[in-house]
Amino acid sequence: MVPTQSHVPTGRPLWSLLEDAFVDDGDDSITVHGRWGAIEIADTSPLVREALQRMSLGPVALENISALHENFVRWKNGSGPCLIWRKLKNTLDQLGGCLVPSLGLDDGAGPILSLVAVTRDAVFGLPHISGDELVTMRRGTEIERLNGDQALACPGQQYQVILHSAPATEIAKWLLDTETTIASIAEALHLQKTLVSDVVAYLAGAGFVVPARR
C-alpha cells in the first residue's frame, strides 16, 4: 500500500498537543516543550501562534481560524491553491510526537479517534486507500484499555490509537477480525463509505492498517 496521493478527510480533522506539552510564546520565538524535549518553531507568524494556542486547549478544528478558513476549504474540496494551509501543516509536522491528530464528525461532538505518539519522531500522514483494496490490521495489534478508552497498540509502532467512540471502535474491531475492504466494511456496518475511508486512512497513517497478504 504505497499511496500515490494523500487522503483528504470528509470528516473533521482535529489537532491538539500532548497533554503534557506546553507552548512558550515569546516575542521573537516559539518553543513547544514536551516529554521528549524542546522544539523550536521556525515560523513565528500570528497564524502559527494562534493555532498552537488553540491546540494547547484540546482537539480543535483549525479551519475555524479566520485566516486559514478559505485555504482549508480549498484543500478539502481540491478546488484551488491552499498554500497557507500547507505551510501551517509543514509547521505541524515539525512537532513530531507532540502532535495529536484526531478525527471528528460534523456533529461537533469531539473526536472519535486520536493518534497519540509513543516515539519522539512520529510522523503522521493520511495515505489514500481505494474502496476495493484488501486490507487488514497489522499482526500483533491488540485492543487495550487506556484512561477509560479502548486503544489499539502494536509493538514497534509510533502511535497508539485511542478509540473514543463509535463508529471508530466498530471499524477497528472489524479490521482485527478479517481481511476486508472499505466498501465491505461500510456495507456490513451500515456506514457511509466516506466515513469508513476516513477511519481506515487514519489507522493506516498510524501504521496499523496494512495490505492483506495473499
Side-chain angles (χ1 to χ4, degrees):
M1 188 166 52
V2 179
T4 57
Q5 64 187 98
S6 296
H7 176 80
V8 178
T10 301
R12 300 188 77 195
L14 303 172
W15 310 91
S16 60
L17 301 176
L18 284 176
E19 290 185 357
D20 58 0
F22 68 94
V23 180
D24 183 2
D25 192 348
D27 291 337
D28 301 313
S29 65
I30 306 174
T31 305
V32 177
H33 298 271
R35 62 186 62 173
W36 294 292
I39 302 169
E40 298 290 337
I41 303 300
D43 185 350
T44 59
S45 65
L47 174 60
V48 168
R49 292 177 187 273
E50 182 172 356
L52 291 175
Q53 189 276 329
R54 292 188 182 210
M55 289 164 57
S56 67
L57 302 177
V60 291
L62 292 179
E63 71 265 28
N64 290 335
I65 299 175
S66 58
L68 187 63
H69 181 75
E70 183 177 347
N71 247 242
F72 188 89
V73 171
R74 287 178 187 166
W75 171 69
K76 287 202 71 173
N77 294 338
S79 60
C82 47
L83 296 179
I84 297 174
W85 162 247
R86 294 191 184 281
K87 185 179 179 182
L88 176 59
K89 180 60 168 60
N90 287 338
T91 296
L92 298 183
D93 290 342
Q94 297 172 21
L95 295 173
C98 284
L99 180 69
V100 182
S102 299
L103 174 65
L105 304 180
D106 290 332
D107 57 10
I112 60 172
L113 67 79
S114 297
L115 310 185
V116 178
V118 294
T119 64
R120 178 192 186 113
D121 57 350
V123 177
F124 172 68
L126 283 175
H128 173 75
I129 302 169
S130 64
D132 58 357
E133 184 174 355
L134 198 62
V135 295
T136 190
M137 201 71 80
R138 182 180 294 276
R139 187 183 299 274
T141 299
E142 296 182 346
I143 292 185
E144 304 175 346
R145 299 296 299 184
L146 185 65
N147 299 327
D149 286 315
Q150 296 184 82
L152 295 174
C154 183
Q157 296 309 296
Q158 294 183 322
Y159 289 97
Q160 289 180 321
V161 181
I162 312 303
L163 303 169
H164 298 291
S165 63
T169 307
E170 284 76 8
I171 295 170
K173 289 179 178 178
W174 198 271
L175 285 160
L176 277 169
D177 292 336
T178 186
E179 298 175 351
T180 187
T181 66
I182 289 170
S184 296
I185 296 172
E187 181 179 3
L189 298 179
H190 306 290
L191 296 170
Q192 291 183 345
K193 186 177 174 181
T194 52
L195 171 57
V196 178
S197 293
D198 284 354
V199 172
V200 170
Y202 270 77
L203 295 177
F208 284 81
V209 165
V210 296
R213 298 186 181 278
R214 285 294 176 92

